[in-house]
Amino acid sequence: MTLKERVISKEINRLMWHSGKTISTAESCSCGRLATLLSEYPGSSEYFRGGIVCYTDEMKAAYLGISGELLREKTAVCEEVAIGMVEGSIRMFGTDYAVAMTGVAGPGGATPDNPVGSIWVAFGKTNHVETFHFLTDEGRDLNVQNAVYGVMKMFLRFLKDELKKE
C-alpha cells in the first residue's frame, strides 16, 4: 500500500466510522485491494461489511446478479457492469455504499474494444452510482494501483458530499 493510498484510506475510515454508514466492495482485476484499503485501520469493522472478488463472468452473474446477456454483449469491462457490481455489492452485504472495479490489468486479456489498462471503476449508493474509465497502460501492477487510488480518491469526495447533505 502506498503512502497516498494510506492517507485516503485513513480519511475514509474516519468519515465512515463517525457517520455510522456501511460499505462493501465488489472487485475483479483489483483482487481485493479495495477491501484491504477499506479495512486497514482500527474501527473498520464498524463500517466495512465485506467484499467479494468476482474474477470471472460466471461469478459476476452468480453472486452480483450481472446479466449474462450484458456480459456477452459488452464484456465484463464496461460501465454497465461496474455499476451492476456496485448495486450487487450493496444488495449482497446490505450496505449504504459500495466501491467496485473491473478491467483488463494486463499484460494479456486485451480486446480491440478493451486494451490493456482499460479499467472501469464505480462507487456510490442505491440509486446514485458514479463511474470513471481509466485507460492507461503502465504495466499490470501500476494499472491496478492507479485505478485503486483513483477510485478511492473519487469515493472520498463523493462521501464528503453525501455526508454534508445529512
Side-chain angles (χ1 to χ4, degrees):
M1 183 181 314
T2 68
L3 179 59
K4 293 189 308 185
E5 289 171 332
R6 284 183 183 275
V7 169
I8 296 286
S9 176
K10 188 159 184 95
E11 181 67 7
I12 291 171
N13 172 283
R14 186 184 67 75
L15 291 171
M16 292 297 297
W17 197 84
H18 288 293
S19 72
K21 301 292 184 184
T22 57
I23 192 168
S24 57
T25 60
E27 305 181 61
S28 186
C29 64
S30 52
C31 286
R33 289 188 194 189
L34 294 170
T36 298
L37 280 170
L38 289 168
S39 61
E40 179 72 14
Y41 290 98
S44 61
S45 61
E46 295 295 319
Y47 63 86
F48 182 68
R49 291 255 173 99
I52 184 164
V53 176
C54 289
Y55 209 69
T56 66
D57 289 357
E58 294 81 14
M59 296 301 105
K60 289 175 182 72
Y63 291 101
L64 297 172
I66 307 297
S67 153
E69 182 180 330
L70 173 63
L71 290 163
R72 283 186 299 280
E73 183 181 306
K74 291 208 164 184
T75 78
V77 185
C78 69
E79 183 177 33
E80 294 87 348
V81 167
I83 291 168
M85 290 172 73
V86 166
E87 294 167 345
S89 183
I90 289 170
R91 277 192 311 274
M92 175 184 273
F93 293 101
T95 56
D96 298 298
Y97 303 109
V99 181
M101 180 181 291
T102 185
V104 182
T111 67
D113 292 332
N114 289 310
V116 170
S118 178
I119 298 175
W120 278 97
V121 298
F123 54 91
K125 61 183 187 173
T126 303
N127 299 321
H128 184 179
V129 178
E130 295 185 16
T131 61
F132 187 82
H133 185 215
F134 289 88
L135 187 56
T136 56
D137 183 12
E138 298 182 51
R140 183 180 183 85
D141 191 51
L142 284 177
N143 292 344
V144 173
Q145 184 178 333
N146 291 337
V148 166
Y149 174 69
V151 72
M152 293 294 281
K153 193 169 149 183
M154 287 182 263
F155 176 70
L156 176 59
R157 176 199 42 82
F158 175 84
L159 181 61
K160 286 178 177 178
D161 289 346
E162 285 295 310
L163 295 176
K164 282 180 190 174
K165 294 175 188 175
E166 294 183 357

